[in-house]
Amino acid sequence: MALSHEDYLSLKRAYRHLEYPAFAVRLADAVGTPLEKGLKLLPKPWYRRLHRCAENAIWKALGVAVTSLDNKPGTASRDVYYKLLSIASGAVGGFLGGPALLVELPFTTILMLRSIADIARSEGEDLDDIATRLACLEVFALGGRTKDDDAADAGYYGLRLALERPVAAASSYIARNGLGNRAGAPMLVDFIMMISSRFGITVSEKAAAEIVPIVGAVGGALVNSVFIQHFQVMAHSHFSIRRLERKYGPKLVRAEYDKLRAPEYRLSYASV
């Protein structure tokens, strides 16, 4: 069986977005902020606080993912609706100043998760399946890659493979025990740590853009607009590939994806 022309184009689009996330580039283009300067302005204690905040945000999002998402497969995703909510959140955070990010980030993360879940069910995912809900959280890892990331060379499927065991362990634990607390669920801790470590990369770039003096409500709104749009694109790509895997089988889709990664194919597959 071969991919239809439409599905093949979907795979190509997903490939481009997943292999070259480029969040920093999108943010710099939109905001006009020198991110390197902004990152240097962040004190080291702020890095630690931001990454702890990112981890806590993922934990809160996990609770939402497992307990409160409606299951309506095939419903069109409401990307603009969630983007507007995120923009409003960013505007408030920007108006209040840098430290407000630590309050705004968990709320924005949950908004993004709802949007990601919306996208998942638009691609036919069953949100009653715990594995699907955890796959929504995987998007945070997929969207936080950089060229300096040791796992980046492995590409999209390499990251999925790295997450496979923590996802399976977390899914099994939740099925048996619910969420519970962190101390009693080391497999959940491992899963959250893997997700938040890459999500924290993107959070640091978001924070850097917000502290350079373009700030204020307009700046915070613009940064959040790019922030949520980035993860929406990652979600569309991730769940598009999962849909193709259900339709054609993982082996065929992986083989076609690997062809796109091969150097001799990249030039001819450069446009979508």
Side-chain angles (χ1 to χ4, degrees):
M1 178 184 278
L3 273 64
S4 69
H5 179 67
E6 183 180 353
D7 287 337
Y8 181 64
L9 292 179
S10 294
L11 182 65
K12 288 175 68 176
R13 282 192 294 269
Y15 165 79
R16 289 190 64 189
H17 293 307
L18 291 166
E19 295 299 324
Y20 307 101
F23 172 73
V25 174
R26 294 179 192 176
L27 190 58
D29 287 345
V31 182
T33 297
L35 288 180
E36 290 184 7
K37 178 183 177 182
L39 287 168
K40 289 177 182 176
L41 290 174
L42 285 175
K44 289 184 179 179
W46 258 84
Y47 277 107
R48 291 192 291 270
R49 290 184 67 188
L50 279 173
H51 283 261
R52 282 199 302 269
C53 184
E55 182 182 342
N56 288 331
I58 296 291
W59 272 102
K60 290 179 181 178
L62 176 60
V64 172
V66 174
T67 60
S68 64
L69 293 177
D70 294 330
N71 192 18
K72 299 177 182 177
T75 304
S77 60
R78 298 174 295 168
D79 294 7
V80 174
Y81 168 73
Y82 287 107
K83 189 174 180 179
L84 290 174
L85 289 178
S86 182
I87 288 172
S89 173
V92 173
F95 178 76
L96 295 176
L101 174 65
L102 301 178
V103 177
E104 177 246 315
L105 181 62
F107 179 72
T108 300
T109 302
I110 290 173
L111 278 181
M112 289 196 301
L113 178 69
R114 303 291 295 197
S115 180
I116 289 167
D118 227 13
I119 292 166
R121 67 184 174 189
S122 77
E123 293 286 352
E125 295 278 352
D126 178 8
L127 293 181
D128 285 336
D129 185 345
I130 292 173
T132 297
R133 296 178 176 189
L134 295 179
C136 291
L137 293 181
E138 287 181 307
V139 173
F140 293 134
L142 297 170
R145 293 160 53 197
T146 70
K147 292 180 180 179
D148 298 326
D149 190 343
D150 291 339
D153 289 339
Y156 166 69
Y157 275 102
L159 284 171
R160 276 184 63 178
L161 182 62
L163 289 166
E164 188 173 297
R165 181 176 294 180
V167 167
S171 179
S172 176
Y173 179 88
I174 293 170
R176 294 194 311 269
N177 307 296
L179 277 177
N181 58 50
R182 303 186 193 190
M187 58 288 296
L188 283 180
V189 172
D190 290 344
F191 173 69
I192 295 300
M193 288 297 290
M194 289 193 71
I195 299 294
S196 64
S197 63
R198 291 191 173 86
F199 182 55
I201 294 170
T202 313
V203 168
S204 295
E205 291 168 341
K206 168 177 153 65
E210 290 182 353
I211 68 165
V212 181
I214 70 145
V215 229
V218 174
L222 186 54
V223 169
N224 257 28
S225 173
V226 179
F227 191 54
I228 191 168
Q229 184 176 357
H230 170 72
F231 283 100
Q232 285 176 339
V233 168
M234 292 295 104
H236 277 291
S237 302
H238 180 43
F239 289 107
S240 175
I241 286 182
R242 285 171 59 95
R243 172 179 56 80
L244 295 177
E245 288 175 344
R246 291 193 300 273
K247 183 175 180 179
Y248 296 99
K251 288 185 178 180
L252 177 61
V253 176
R254 174 67 187 271
E256 292 296 324
Y257 193 95
D258 285 343
K259 287 180 182 179
L260 296 171
R261 280 179 56 84
E264 62 269 25
Y265 283 89
R266 287 180 185 172
L267 183 58
S268 60
Y269 288 176
S271 62
V272 173

